[in-house]
Amino acid sequence: MQMMEPHIKTYKGIRWQVIFPFLLSWLCHSVSGQIHYSIVEEMRKDSVIANIAEDLGLDIKQLSYRKLRIVSEISDKYFFINLANGNLHVKDRIDRETLCETEATCFLTFDAVVENPFNIFKVSVEIQDVNDNYPHFFHNKIISEVIEFTSPGARFVLQTAEDPDFGINSVQTYRLSDNQYFSLITKIRADGRKFPELVLEKPLDRETQNVHELILTALDGGNPVKSGTALVKVIVTDANDNAPTFTQDMYKVTLKENIPINSTVIVLNATDRDEGINAEITYSFSKTSGDLHHTGIFTIYPTNGEIKTNKNLDFEVTKKYELSVQAKDGGGLVAHSNVLIEVTDENDNVPDISITSFSSPVPEDCEPGTMIALIKVHDKDSGESGEVDCNTIEAIPFDLLSSDSYYRIVSRNALDREKVSSYNITIVATDRGSPPLSSRRIIKLEISDVNDNPPKFMKSIYVAYVSENNLPGASIFSVHASDPDIGDNAKIIYSLSSTNTEDLPVSSYLSINIETGVLYAQRSFDYEQHKEFLILVTARDNGSPSLSSNATLIIRIVDRNDNAPKILYPSADSGGPAVFEMVPFASEQGSLITKVVAVDSDSGHNAWLSYHFIQVSEPSHFTINQHTGEIRTSRVFHEKDILNHKAVVMVKDNGDPSLSATVTISLIVADNFQQVVPKLSNQLRDVDSQSSLQLYLVIALALISFLFIVTVLLVIISKCKQSKPLPTFTSLSTNLYPPVDPRMLSMYSDGSLPFPYSYNVCVALDSSESDFTYRKPNQNVPVENLIDADDSGLGKETFPISDEVSFYNKENVM
């Protein structure tokens, strides 16, 4: 072994003078869209290979945004990209012999993938060999038997040394230690490999020396040179002058990778011209280094030389095997040969689908052409069996676009989460082998919500009916709007935004629960004040931007019977004495006397009024129409009939419970005022006495006796008193009687006097002593408060009566 100079730096035994040019000058060029680099193996971890970003023409500042990355099944174990500066670094130790074995060239390839926009760059890194392996013999001791009378010049094939390095770094020469019996020559086989042969220089004598030990050295061509040694032990035996021979120096076999286990690979054949035990041949593997049969893939039968498979073959793992076999006869002579087994590819690998980039969820408003996922498809098979076609099987709004061995899933149409909230995208990859193999991958894509739907009411117009006199704070109605969005985009807030009230805002009448849409009354409604509310209800979602919709709510107040009838005519609001009506004595049966007029503030059935007598003189001379309130005579009057009739009229509505109002009417039967005044005065006194008597029935018995005595005295005094003639009045201008209130004058005329003539009536104590004074027409008589209650053409006037009363007879005044 040579000593290394101390001034030369080495890395793991490798001279930097050899590898330094590779570290400083690797190739970097683009050929047909590919980037090629050349490095040496055994580079240190984190070493910089090149600035791949500059070589690809990428902006270093956008590397993270564009997601520059390595996509490969193997290369990503050995390389990585620094996104901060775009440098390509060594990630792990690279051993060319492990990766490519004895191949002439060794490449690591990967795809440099970027997005936004999407692109793929092919990158290959050539691994240059470094002399980092020593030649070595599989067996440290090589035993060879030589017959003692073997002639000089005989050759014996020795075991070859193995060196995983390639080219000049592999085994180049062999050396043999100095001795007088043997020399060494190196021969080259057809495949270019060198093997040593031991040459006998002079005859051997077993009795003189039966064992010869030699040192065999194998040297490579590296700088510095590396070597390996083995001990060759030559045993001198008795005569066996014929060695076995194989029919071929190298056997070639082609096997399919799916060949069954225990299948016959080949049957070796070696012959020996000797006889007996020297002709008995035993087959075996002479070495296993680099042939992998030591792992148990192949077995050889010693007696017949049959080689069989012991395990399954895999083209994707190992494409060929080289087996060294030997045939040894009973005398110890050995023959060597090689078996080259080539494995052919079969379509036994399904395509592999890997997701390198996936965005989920995606918003439903994403534009067509948005990339959803990036998929890489790989098939370990070769040829057509490794060519893969991809497609989707569902009817989905996405396209699968091909880019070499990559596929992009992009949106084709606008998405709508409210129709489809998620998609199961099934990707099927099928190779072109025979028969074709396929695999599938399911991607679940979620669609995120966007506030693209406003709240929607079930109706555009709602009508609610609420009874008046309701309790404040009670729930009266509920509206509901739905929003097909989700989350905050579907959270609805209700509000009242319009009013048809003039005096107060709608908030003083109604309120709404902003979350549930339930409406509440803020106060008690009054049908007579507000019969209907027109409300605009707004439903607004909580999205950004917020969307809203409106609905019209009509609240109709339902009337309740809370108003009693109000009598307009005859009016008794003053609380004075009863109202009087004149009834002509000559009235025929069914004549209209007067009409009671009433109104009710309620509506509907609650405002249907009916008229009834609840107190009337017996026998009754009058009837009242239940529906119209007209009072008519029920028969013709006679001289003996009572002139004054008192009737109490009740006006009742049709509500439940029913409400009513009453009015008292005094009906005076007479043809003129003069004849009825004395009788009326007496009757009035009697009526007043009877009324007083009814009011004081509870007075003690002593008071009743006292009144009786007073009554007797009054009767005696009235009989003793003489009546005197009354003076004749020439004018009605005296103050004996007060003037009649103009408000009590009737504006009605049936033809006896021109309307609107008015006159005063002054009634004497006796019916025979009465005068009338006519006045000029008064055009300023107020008529706005007068009520014409006559539907048949007859008119009457009612007015309060006092101790001094003026009467007007519409037919008998002369």
Side-chain angles (χ1 to χ4, degrees), residues 368-381:
T370 301
M371 189 172 78
I372 307 300
L374 179 62
I375 300 169
K376 180 175 175 60
V377 180
H378 175 71
D379 195 318
K380 295 180 180 179
D381 296 321

Side-chain angles (χ1 to χ4, degrees), residues 585 617-619 621-622 635 637-645 667-669 683:
F585 185 81
S617 302
E618 293 296 339
H621 296 277
F622 305 95
R635 61 186 181 85
F637 295 103
H638 302 286
E639 291 293 338
K640 62 180 181 179
D641 291 335
I642 301 174
L643 298 181
N644 183 22
H645 297 269
L667 302 173
I668 309 300
V669 180
Q683 291 180 4

Side-chain angles (χ1 to χ4, degrees), residues 101 291-292 297 313-321 343:
E101 298 180 354
D291 294 333
L292 299 182
I297 296 179
L313 305 182
D314 191 348
F315 173 84
E316 287 71 37
V317 176
T318 305
K319 298 178 176 59
K320 64 180 180 179
Y321 300 89
V343 182

Side-chain angles (χ1 to χ4, degrees), residues 759-808:
Y759 50 86
N760 286 339
V761 180
C762 189
V763 182
L765 294 178
D766 192 278
S767 61
S768 62
E769 298 177 353
S770 298
D771 293 327
F772 292 87
T773 301
Y774 292 90
R775 297 183 178 178
K776 294 181 179 181
N778 185 4
Q779 301 298 332
N780 296 322
V781 176
V783 296
E784 62 276 4
N785 293 326
L786 299 180
I787 297 178
D788 187 2
D790 188 1
D791 293 339
S792 63
L794 299 177
K796 290 158 290 288
E797 177 72 13
T798 63
F799 41 86
I801 188 168
S802 60
D803 293 336
E804 298 176 353
V805 185
S806 297
F807 292 90
Y808 162 57

Side-chain angles (χ1 to χ4, degrees), residues 399-418:
D399 291 324
L400 190 64
L401 305 180
S402 173
S403 299
D404 196 6
S405 59
Y406 290 86
Y407 289 86
R408 289 177 295 156
I409 300 177
V410 298
S411 59
R412 183 193 316 125
N413 304 321
L415 305 177
D416 189 350
R417 189 207 63 81
E418 287 69 40

Side-chain angles (χ1 to χ4, degrees), residues 41-69:
E41 62 175 331
E42 296 289 342
M43 286 188 69
R44 292 183 179 181
K45 184 178 180 181
D46 294 331
S47 298
V48 177
I49 298 175
N51 191 302
I52 191 172
E54 293 181 358
D55 295 338
L56 297 178
L58 302 177
D59 188 353
I60 296 178
K61 297 179 180 179
Q62 295 185 353
L63 295 183
S64 296
Y65 169 72
R66 299 194 64 183
K67 300 179 181 179
L68 175 62
R69 61 189 180 276

Side-chain angles (χ1 to χ4, degrees), residues 693 700-718:
L693 185 59
L701 184 60
L703 293 177
I704 296 175
S705 301
F706 175 77
L707 291 175
F708 175 77
I709 297 173
V710 173
T711 303
V712 172
L713 293 176
L714 290 176
V715 171
I716 296 174
I717 294 172
S718 63

